[in-house]
Amino acid sequence: MLVLMTADSTYDLESTAPATKEELLGRIAQGDQAAFGELYDQIAPRVLGLVKRLLVDHAQSEEVTQEIFLEIWQTATRYEAKRGGASTWIMTMAHRRAVDRIRASQAGRDRDTKIGIRDLVAPYDHVSETVEVRIEHERVKKAMSRLTELQREAVSLAYYGGFSHSEVAERLQIPLGTVKTRLSDGMIRLRDELGVAS
Amino acid sequence: MTEKKPNPADLSGAYALNALGADEKADYEAYLAGSDEARTEAAELGDTALALGLAADPVQPSAGLKANLMAQLASTPQLSPLPVPEAAPADQATPADQATPEAGVVVTAVAPPAAASAEPSTRRSAAADRAQRRWFQRPAGMLAAAAAAVALFVGGTVVGQALNPNQFEQQQAARLAEINAAPDSQRAATTTTDGHPATLVWSGELGLSALMIKDLPALASDEDYQLWYMNDDGAVPAGTFDSTGSGTVWRVLEGTMHAGDQVGVTVEPQGGSPQPTSAPIVAIQS
């Protein structure tokens, strides 16, 4: 199993007992509603935080967050711990649903007119309340700073902007192949900087 | 140095960032299925993307969101686990694709209008039966999972005419999920003339509705069930479907629902009619 070396351990605090998200998903798969409530409490602010980062609009973001948690409820039966951590599973789903919303609806266009592209790609725009989050921001920010500016721009547009690689190519007016390379090189660099290993 | 063929390995970053279109994503996952090394990298880059996700500022949801969710659990069916043959590496594909609806298919016996000859209803398996049993027990649920699928529609209008059965199911499931998640989602229940339980869910805001009927009898092969929106101006056709005779069949109606419309079902010659030619077997007021 793959472990994100530092980020997740900050939250799971396995020794001091709140059930891990993996355990909770196992119980949810059995129809355990209390486990679902517990998982929600643990991760809903992170899910909504990411969704809102992409969609901007609060009401829409709550709506999508609701869909995400219903999907978690419905598909916990198909989560397999051996394929990856629960947080990755959930946040990947959250990102996908937010992007689906952008691509399927008016939401994306509304968002694009509401805010400039520069705001879209700057992930550190607030002073965070908690120490953990701030540490994490610092870690990611530092890792991001090791990318070339072009890599950073492409990765940010794709992830925080929710743009497909061809949309990124279009916006930056560069060939698609170049975008693919920047995204892959950028992610591999980030992986190494963050110490994500199998 | 020129490449003639695109190298799938180039897509690892875009894949981890969820920046691929549906086709490329499927291609990449096929590539992953055949390579241990690529799967390891995909998992690592997936965890890297997680770090980006966790770096977004947390936002506290409104209190109502949790209450609302908890209230929906009892009526929301859980999918049956994917049957996982433990053997071939090819079967362990698609680490990030847990949400495909193919196995626990709850959409049964629904033939897409443009591909009416294809018969998705023939796909039966233990898993599908199991999923269906759950669906009986909690008929008011939804299949949000499949909304994951692709954005096949824009603004409530079907794009593209000749969807294959699988795309059609995904699209239907995605729309049902939308209806259920809409803030103004409502439902009403009744029975058909033969006494089969029927439930209508709708959202006036979306202008969409879906009808589910339990154990609706199978029809002769030259007949179809046809859906209608009915109001003072008459009946507007809203799609056809068939039924295997057991399980819950459901269908999101085509077209736009208007406030106060009745939803009805009639038995029509195969392919449907421009206007009803028989009395409705069920009618529900939205």
Side-chain angles (χ1 to χ4, degrees):
Chain A
M1 186 180 122
L2 298 153
V3 181
L4 178 57
M5 279 171 162
T6 52
D8 239 15
S9 52
T10 324
Y11 295 96
D12 283 350
L13 300 172
E14 280 167 72
S15 51
T16 52
T20 65
K21 297 181 187 68
E22 288 77 11
E23 287 164 2
L24 290 172
L25 280 177
R27 283 163 49 197
I28 293 167
Q30 307 297 316
D32 183 337
Q33 298 192 10
F36 181 85
E38 208 174 322
L39 182 75
Y40 177 92
D41 292 341
Q42 282 192 23
I43 204 166
R46 315 312 302 261
V47 169
L48 180 56
L50 176 59
V51 171
K52 198 174 171 191
R53 190 75 195 70
L54 279 111
L55 292 183
V56 181
D57 180 76
H58 186 84
Q60 286 224 37
S61 301
E62 288 225 352
E63 232 175 271
V64 171
T65 298
Q66 177 170 334
E67 292 171 14
I68 291 162
F69 275 93
L70 283 174
E71 183 173 344
I72 291 171
W73 169 254
Q74 294 185 294
T75 60
T77 46
R78 299 185 175 182
Y79 167 72
E80 288 176 81
K82 66 172 192 260
R83 288 190 187 170
S87 297
T88 302
W89 187 70
I90 292 167
M91 295 300 274
T92 301
M93 188 188 294
H95 190 266
R96 175 170 46 71
R97 301 269 324 204
V99 167
D100 283 349
R101 176 63 73 105
I102 291 171
R103 292 183 192 162
S105 72
Q106 188 62 30
R109 272 157 283 154
D110 288 351
R111 183 197 65 170
D112 286 355
T113 54
K114 210 182 287 180
I115 53 169
I117 201 167
R118 205 153 283 286
D119 295 323
L120 273 180
V121 302
Y124 328 101
D125 46 358
H126 300 110
V127 180
S128 308
E129 328 86 273
T130 69
V131 179
E132 291 95 323
V133 174
R134 221 174 314 149
I135 289 172
E136 213 167 334
H137 278 198
E138 281 311 309
R139 229 169 58 83
V140 173
K141 190 176 179 180
K142 192 170 154 216
M144 285 288 259
S145 73
R146 303 297 170 92
L147 305 190
T148 68
E149 186 163 349
L150 295 173
Q151 289 169 348
R152 191 160 55 240
E153 178 184 48
V155 167
S156 299
L157 278 172
Y159 194 78
Y160 295 114
F163 295 107
S164 70
H165 62 175
S166 39
E167 288 169 332
V168 173
E170 202 175 302
R171 281 181 178 252
L172 300 180
Q173 303 197 314
I174 53 176
L176 182 57
T178 309
V179 174
K180 289 177 185 171
T181 309
R182 283 183 195 169
L183 292 178
S184 290
D185 291 353
M187 286 302 281
I188 286 165
R189 188 70 182 267
L190 268 183
R191 174 195 67 187
D192 296 344
E193 292 292 334
L194 289 167
V196 177
S198 39
Chain B
M1 185 175 88
T2 49
E3 286 171 287
K4 295 189 195 102
K5 245 175 53 178
N7 180 358
D10 289 347
L11 294 178
S12 62
Y15 178 76
L17 292 163
N18 188 26
L20 295 180
D23 288 352
E24 282 171 316
K25 184 176 167 186
D27 287 350
Y28 190 73
E29 286 175 350
Y31 161 73
L32 285 182
S35 163
D36 286 339
E37 206 181 319
R39 274 204 303 282
T40 302
E41 183 178 75
E44 287 173 355
L45 297 188
D47 283 346
T48 304
L50 170 65
L52 293 178
L54 294 175
D57 282 327
V59 176
Q60 205 58 47
S62 62
L65 183 57
K66 184 177 181 186
N68 199 358
L69 271 167
M70 298 306 289
Q72 289 186 59
L73 296 186
S75 62
T76 302
Q78 292 183 292
L79 300 188
S80 55
L82 282 176
V84 188
E86 286 294 317
D91 286 319
Q92 301 165 7
T94 64
D97 192 24
Q98 323 274 10
T100 45
E102 72 276 359
V105 206
V106 192
V107 186
T108 63
V110 180
S117 55
E119 276 289 356
S121 59
T122 51
R123 288 195 284 147
R124 305 227 42 102
S125 66
D129 286 342
R130 228 175 12 253
Q132 220 170 41
R133 240 175 288 129
R134 289 187 193 226
W135 181 255
F136 285 0
Q137 288 155 9
R138 300 180 254 181
M142 54 186 266
L143 187 60
V150 210
L152 287 166
F153 54 94
V154 175
T157 311
V158 179
V159 176
Q161 337 66 336
L163 300 175
N164 69 39
N166 193 39
Q167 285 171 320
F168 182 77
E169 286 177 6
Q170 291 183 345
Q171 181 200 67
Q172 285 270 309
R175 288 178 152 200
L176 179 59
E178 259 194 301
I179 297 170
N180 273 298
D184 69 334
S185 175
Q186 295 185 67
R187 60 185 65 232
T190 184
T191 55
T192 66
T193 48
D194 289 344
H196 300 291
T199 304
L200 182 74
V201 294
W202 73 91
S203 158
E205 228 166 78
L206 297 172
L208 288 175
S209 70
L211 183 67
M212 1 190 146
I213 306 177
K214 197 172 147 181
D215 297 341
L216 187 65
L219 291 174
S221 60
D222 59 350
E223 291 176 326
D224 276 334
Y225 288 107
Q226 186 164 13
L227 291 153
W228 306 92
Y229 279 126
M230 298 188 277
N231 56 37
D232 294 343
D233 297 337
V236 180
T240 59
F241 64 100
D242 57 15
S243 177
T244 55
S246 70
T248 296
V249 60
W250 61 268
R251 173 78 196 259
V252 177
L253 277 72
E254 291 166 17
T256 306
M257 192 201 77
H258 298 97
D261 277 357
Q262 268 200 345
V263 168
V265 177
T266 60
V267 176
E268 299 293 335
Q270 191 179 20
S273 311
Q275 284 296 306
T277 62
S278 62
I281 58 158
V282 63
I284 305 186
Q285 184 74 44
S286 71

Coordinates of all heavy atoms in Angstrom, one line a residue, chain A residues 42-96:
Chain A
Q42 N -14.8 13.8 10.1 CA -13.3 13.8 9.8 C -12.9 14.6 8.6 O -12.0 15.3 8.6 CB -12.8 12.4 9.8 CG -12.6 11.7 11.1 CD -11.8 10.4 11.0 OE1 -11.0 10.3 10.0 NE2 -12.0 9.5 11.9
I43 N -13.7 14.4 7.5 CA -13.1 14.8 6.2 C -14.0 15.8 5.5 O -13.5 16.4 4.5 CB -12.8 13.6 5.4 CG1 -11.7 14.0 4.4 CG2 -14.0 13.0 4.7 CD1 -11.0 12.8 3.7
A44 N -15.2 16.1 5.9 CA -16.1 17.0 5.1 C -15.5 18.3 4.9 O -15.6 18.9 3.8 CB -17.5 17.1 5.8
P45 N -14.8 19.0 5.9 CA -14.3 20.3 5.6 C -13.2 20.2 4.6 O -13.0 21.2 3.8 CB -13.7 20.7 7.0 CG -14.4 19.9 8.0 CD -14.7 18.6 7.3
R46 N -12.4 19.1 4.5 CA -11.4 19.0 3.4 C -12.0 18.8 2.1 O -11.6 19.4 1.1 CB -10.5 17.8 3.7 CG -10.0 17.7 5.1 CD -9.4 19.0 5.7 NE -8.4 19.6 5.0 CZ -7.1 19.5 5.3 NH1 -6.7 18.8 6.3 NH2 -6.2 20.1 4.6
V47 N -13.1 18.0 2.0 CA -13.8 17.8 0.8 C -14.4 19.1 0.3 O -14.2 19.6 -0.9 CB -14.9 16.7 0.9 CG1 -15.8 16.7 -0.3 CG2 -14.3 15.4 1.2
L48 N -15.1 19.8 1.2 CA -15.8 21.1 0.8 C -14.7 22.1 0.4 O -14.9 22.9 -0.5 CB -16.7 21.6 1.9 CG -17.4 22.9 1.6 CD1 -18.2 22.8 0.3 CD2 -18.3 23.3 2.8
G49 N -13.6 22.1 1.2 CA -12.5 23.0 0.9 C -12.0 22.9 -0.5 O -11.8 23.8 -1.3
L50 N -11.8 21.6 -0.9 CA -11.3 21.4 -2.3 C -12.3 21.7 -3.3 O -12.0 22.4 -4.3 CB -10.9 19.9 -2.4 CG -10.4 19.5 -3.8 CD1 -9.2 20.3 -4.3 CD2 -10.0 18.0 -3.9
V51 N -13.5 21.3 -3.1 CA -14.6 21.6 -4.1 C -14.8 23.1 -4.3 O -14.9 23.6 -5.4 CB -15.9 20.9 -3.7 CG1 -17.1 21.3 -4.6 CG2 -15.8 19.4 -3.7
K52 N -14.8 23.8 -3.2 CA -15.0 25.2 -3.2 C -13.8 25.9 -3.9 O -13.9 26.9 -4.6 CB -15.2 25.8 -1.8 CG -15.8 27.2 -1.9 CD -16.2 27.7 -0.6 CE -16.6 29.2 -0.8 NZ -16.8 29.9 0.5
R53 N -12.6 25.3 -3.7 CA -11.4 25.8 -4.4 C -11.6 25.8 -5.9 O -11.2 26.7 -6.6 CB -10.2 24.9 -4.0 CG -8.9 25.5 -4.4 CD -8.5 26.6 -3.5 NE -7.4 27.3 -4.1 CZ -7.5 28.1 -5.1 NH1 -8.7 28.3 -5.7 NH2 -6.5 28.8 -5.6
L54 N -12.3 24.8 -6.4 CA -12.6 24.7 -7.8 C -13.8 25.4 -8.3 O -13.8 26.1 -9.3 CB -12.7 23.2 -8.2 CG -11.4 22.5 -8.4 CD1 -11.1 21.5 -7.3 CD2 -11.3 21.8 -9.7
L55 N -14.9 25.3 -7.5 CA -16.1 25.9 -8.0 C -16.4 27.3 -7.5 O -17.2 28.0 -8.1 CB -17.3 25.0 -7.5 CG -17.5 23.6 -8.0 CD1 -18.7 23.0 -7.5 CD2 -17.5 23.6 -9.6
V56 N -15.7 27.7 -6.5 CA -15.8 29.1 -5.9 C -17.2 29.3 -5.2 O -17.2 29.7 -4.1 CB -15.6 30.2 -7.0 CG1 -15.7 31.6 -6.3 CG2 -14.2 30.0 -7.6
D57 N -18.3 29.1 -5.9 CA -19.6 29.3 -5.4 C -19.9 28.4 -4.2 O -19.8 27.2 -4.4 CB -20.6 29.2 -6.5 CG -22.0 29.4 -6.0 OD1 -22.4 30.6 -5.8 OD2 -22.8 28.4 -5.8
H58 N -20.3 29.0 -3.1 CA -20.5 28.2 -1.9 C -21.6 27.2 -2.0 O -21.5 26.0 -1.6 CB -20.6 29.0 -0.6 CG -20.6 28.3 0.6 ND1 -19.5 27.8 1.3 CD2 -21.6 27.7 1.3 CE1 -19.8 27.1 2.3 NE2 -21.1 27.0 2.4
A59 N -22.8 27.7 -2.4 CA -24.0 26.9 -2.5 C -23.8 25.7 -3.4 O -24.1 24.5 -3.1 CB -25.2 27.7 -2.9
Q60 N -23.2 25.9 -4.6 CA -22.9 24.8 -5.5 C -22.0 23.9 -4.9 O -22.1 22.7 -5.1 CB -22.3 25.4 -6.8 CG -23.3 26.1 -7.7 CD -23.0 25.7 -9.1 OE1 -22.7 24.5 -9.4 NE2 -23.2 26.6 -10.0
S61 N -21.0 24.4 -4.2 CA -20.0 23.5 -3.6 C -20.6 22.6 -2.6 O -20.2 21.4 -2.4 CB -18.8 24.3 -3.0 OG -18.3 25.2 -4.0
E62 N -21.5 23.1 -1.8 CA -22.2 22.3 -0.8 C -23.0 21.2 -1.5 O -23.1 20.0 -1.1 CB -23.1 23.1 0.1 CG -22.3 23.9 1.1 CD -22.9 23.9 2.5 OE1 -24.0 23.4 2.7 OE2 -22.2 24.4 3.4
E63 N -23.6 21.6 -2.6 CA -24.4 20.6 -3.3 C -23.6 19.5 -3.8 O -23.9 18.3 -3.7 CB -25.0 21.3 -4.6 CG -26.5 21.2 -4.8 CD -26.9 22.1 -5.9 OE1 -27.2 23.3 -5.7 OE2 -26.9 21.6 -7.1
V64 N -22.4 19.8 -4.4 CA -21.5 18.8 -4.9 C -21.0 18.0 -3.8 O -20.8 16.7 -3.9 CB -20.4 19.4 -5.8 CG1 -19.3 18.4 -6.1 CG2 -21.0 20.1 -7.0
T65 N -20.7 18.6 -2.7 CA -20.2 17.9 -1.5 C -21.2 16.8 -1.1 O -20.9 15.7 -0.7 CB -19.9 18.8 -0.4 OG1 -18.8 19.7 -0.8 CG2 -19.4 18.1 0.9
Q66 N -22.5 17.2 -1.1 CA -23.5 16.2 -0.7 C -23.5 15.1 -1.7 O -23.6 13.9 -1.3 CB -24.9 16.9 -0.8 CG -26.0 16.0 -0.5 CD -27.3 16.7 -0.3 OE1 -27.4 17.9 0.1 NE2 -28.4 16.1 -0.6
E67 N -23.4 15.3 -3.0 CA -23.3 14.2 -4.0 C -22.1 13.3 -3.7 O -22.2 12.1 -3.8 CB -23.2 14.8 -5.4 CG -24.5 15.5 -5.9 CD -24.2 16.2 -7.2 OE1 -23.2 16.0 -7.9 OE2 -25.1 17.1 -7.5
I68 N -21.0 14.0 -3.3 CA -19.8 13.2 -3.1 C -20.0 12.2 -1.9 O -19.7 11.0 -2.0 CB -18.6 14.1 -2.8 CG1 -18.2 14.9 -4.1 CG2 -17.4 13.3 -2.3 CD1 -17.4 16.1 -3.8
F69 N -20.6 12.7 -0.8 CA -20.8 11.9 0.3 C -21.8 10.8 0.1 O -21.7 9.7 0.6 CB -21.1 12.7 1.6 CG -19.9 13.2 2.3 CD1 -19.3 14.4 2.0 CD2 -19.1 12.4 3.1 CE1 -18.1 14.9 2.5 CE2 -18.0 12.8 3.7 CZ -17.4 14.0 3.4
L70 N -22.8 11.1 -0.8 CA -23.7 10.0 -1.1 C -23.0 8.9 -2.0 O -23.2 7.7 -1.8 CB -24.9 10.5 -1.9 CG -26.0 11.2 -1.0 CD1 -27.1 11.9 -1.8 CD2 -26.6 10.3 0.0
E71 N -22.1 9.4 -2.8 CA -21.3 8.4 -3.6 C -20.4 7.6 -2.7 O -20.3 6.4 -2.9 CB -20.5 9.2 -4.6 CG -19.7 8.2 -5.5 CD -19.0 8.8 -6.7 OE1 -19.3 10.0 -7.0 OE2 -18.1 8.2 -7.3
I72 N -19.9 8.2 -1.6 CA -19.1 7.5 -0.7 C -19.9 6.4 0.0 O -19.5 5.2 0.1 CB -18.5 8.4 0.4 CG1 -17.4 9.3 -0.2 CG2 -17.9 7.6 1.6 CD1 -16.9 10.4 0.7
W73 N -21.1 6.8 0.4 CA -22.0 5.8 1.0 C -22.3 4.7 0.1 O -22.3 3.5 0.5 CB -23.3 6.6 1.4 CG -24.4 5.7 1.8 CD1 -25.6 5.4 1.1 CD2 -24.6 5.0 3.1 NE1 -26.4 4.5 1.8 CE2 -25.8 4.3 3.0 CE3 -23.8 4.9 4.2 CZ2 -26.2 3.4 4.1 CZ3 -24.2 4.0 5.2 CH2 -25.4 3.4 5.2
Q74 N -22.6 5.0 -1.2 CA -23.0 4.0 -2.1 C -21.9 3.1 -2.6 O -22.1 1.9 -2.9 CB -23.6 4.6 -3.4 CG -24.9 5.3 -3.0 CD -25.5 5.8 -4.3 OE1 -25.0 6.7 -5.0 NE2 -26.7 5.3 -4.7
T75 N -20.7 3.6 -2.6 CA -19.6 2.9 -3.3 C -18.5 2.4 -2.3 O -17.5 1.9 -2.7 CB -18.9 3.7 -4.4 OG1 -18.4 4.9 -3.8 CG2 -19.9 4.0 -5.5
A76 N -18.7 2.7 -1.0 CA -17.8 2.2 0.0 C -17.6 0.7 -0.1 O -16.5 0.2 0.2 CB -18.3 2.5 1.4
T77 N -18.6 0.0 -0.6 CA -18.5 -1.4 -0.8 C -17.4 -1.8 -1.8 O -17.0 -2.9 -1.9 CB -19.8 -2.0 -1.4 OG1 -20.2 -1.1 -2.5 CG2 -20.9 -2.0 -0.3
R78 N -17.0 -0.8 -2.6 CA -16.0 -1.1 -3.6 C -14.6 -0.5 -3.4 O -13.7 -0.6 -4.2 CB -16.5 -0.5 -5.0 CG -17.8 -1.2 -5.3 CD -18.3 -0.8 -6.7 NE -19.5 -1.6 -7.0 CZ -20.1 -1.6 -8.1 NH1 -19.7 -0.7 -9.0 NH2 -21.2 -2.3 -8.3
Y79 N -14.5 0.1 -2.2 CA -13.2 0.6 -1.8 C -12.3 -0.5 -1.4 O -12.7 -1.4 -0.6 CB -13.3 1.6 -0.6 CG -12.0 1.9 0.0 CD1 -11.1 2.7 -0.7 CD2 -11.7 1.4 1.2 CE1 -9.9 3.0 -0.1 CE2 -10.4 1.6 1.8 CZ -9.5 2.4 1.1 OH -8.3 2.7 1.7
E80 N -11.1 -0.6 -1.9 CA -10.2 -1.6 -1.5 C -8.9 -1.0 -1.0 O -8.2 -0.3 -1.7 CB -9.8 -2.5 -2.7 CG -11.0 -3.3 -3.2 CD -10.6 -4.1 -4.5 OE1 -9.9 -5.1 -4.3 OE2 -10.9 -3.6 -5.5
A81 N -8.7 -1.2 0.3 CA -7.6 -0.6 1.0 C -6.3 -1.0 0.3 O -5.3 -0.1 0.3 CB -7.5 -1.0 2.5
K82 N -6.2 -2.1 -0.2 CA -4.9 -2.5 -0.8 C -4.5 -1.7 -2.1 O -3.4 -1.7 -2.5 CB -4.9 -4.0 -1.1 CG -5.8 -4.4 -2.2 CD -5.5 -5.9 -2.6 CE -6.3 -6.3 -3.9 NZ -7.5 -7.0 -3.7
R83 N -5.5 -1.0 -2.6 CA -5.2 -0.2 -3.7 C -4.9 1.3 -3.4 O -4.5 2.0 -4.3 CB -6.4 -0.1 -4.7 CG -6.6 -1.4 -5.4 CD -7.7 -1.2 -6.5 NE -8.0 -2.5 -7.1 CZ -9.0 -2.6 -7.9 NH1 -9.8 -1.6 -8.2 NH2 -9.3 -3.7 -8.5
G84 N -5.0 1.6 -2.1 CA -4.6 3.0 -1.8 C -5.4 3.5 -0.6 O -6.3 2.9 -0.1
G85 N -4.9 4.6 0.0 CA -5.5 5.1 1.2 C -6.9 5.7 1.0 O -7.3 6.1 -0.1
A86 N -7.6 5.7 2.1 CA -9.0 6.2 2.0 C -9.1 7.7 1.7 O -9.9 8.1 0.9 CB -9.7 6.0 3.4
S87 N -8.1 8.5 2.2 CA -8.1 9.9 1.9 C -7.9 10.1 0.4 O -8.6 11.0 -0.2 CB -7.0 10.6 2.6 OG -7.3 10.6 4.0
T88 N -7.0 9.4 -0.2 CA -6.8 9.5 -1.7 C -8.1 9.2 -2.4 O -8.5 9.9 -3.3 CB -5.6 8.6 -2.1 OG1 -4.5 9.0 -1.4 CG2 -5.3 8.8 -3.6
W89 N -8.7 8.1 -2.0 CA -9.9 7.6 -2.7 C -11.0 8.7 -2.6 O -11.6 9.1 -3.6 CB -10.4 6.4 -2.0 CG -11.5 5.7 -2.7 CD1 -11.5 5.0 -3.9 CD2 -12.9 5.5 -2.2 NE1 -12.8 4.5 -4.1 CE2 -13.6 4.8 -3.1 CE3 -13.5 6.0 -1.0 CZ2 -14.9 4.5 -2.9 CZ3 -14.8 5.7 -0.8 CH2 -15.5 4.9 -1.8
I90 N -11.1 9.3 -1.4 CA -12.2 10.3 -1.2 C -11.9 11.6 -1.9 O -12.7 12.2 -2.6 CB -12.4 10.5 0.3 CG1 -13.0 9.3 0.9 CG2 -13.3 11.7 0.5 CD1 -13.0 9.3 2.5
M91 N -10.7 12.1 -1.8 CA -10.3 13.4 -2.4 C -10.2 13.3 -3.9 O -10.5 14.2 -4.6 CB -9.0 13.9 -1.8 CG -9.1 14.2 -0.3 SD -10.3 15.5 0.1 CE -9.4 17.0 -0.1
T92 N -9.9 12.1 -4.4 CA -9.9 11.9 -5.9 C -11.3 12.0 -6.4 O -11.6 12.6 -7.4 CB -9.3 10.5 -6.2 OG1 -8.0 10.5 -5.8 CG2 -9.3 10.3 -7.8
M93 N -12.2 11.4 -5.6 CA -13.6 11.4 -6.0 C -14.2 12.8 -5.9 O -14.9 13.3 -6.8 CB -14.4 10.5 -5.0 CG -15.9 10.3 -5.3 SD -16.7 9.5 -3.9 CE -16.0 7.9 -3.9
A94 N -13.7 13.6 -4.9 CA -14.2 14.9 -4.7 C -13.7 15.8 -5.9 O -14.5 16.6 -6.5 CB -13.7 15.5 -3.4
H95 N -12.5 15.6 -6.3 CA -11.9 16.4 -7.4 C -12.7 16.1 -8.7 O -13.1 17.0 -9.4 CB -10.4 16.1 -7.5 CG -9.8 17.1 -8.5 ND1 -9.6 16.8 -9.8 CD2 -9.2 18.3 -8.3 CE1 -9.0 17.8 -10.4 NE2 -8.8 18.7 -9.5
R96 N -12.9 14.8 -8.9 CA -13.6 14.4 -10.1 C -15.0 15.0 -10.2 O -15.4 15.5 -11.2 CB -13.6 12.9 -10.1 CG -14.4 12.3 -11.3 CD -14.2 10.8 -11.5 NE -14.3 10.0 -10.2 CZ -15.5 9.8 -9.6 NH1 -16.6 10.3 -10.0 NH2 -15.5 9.1 -8.5

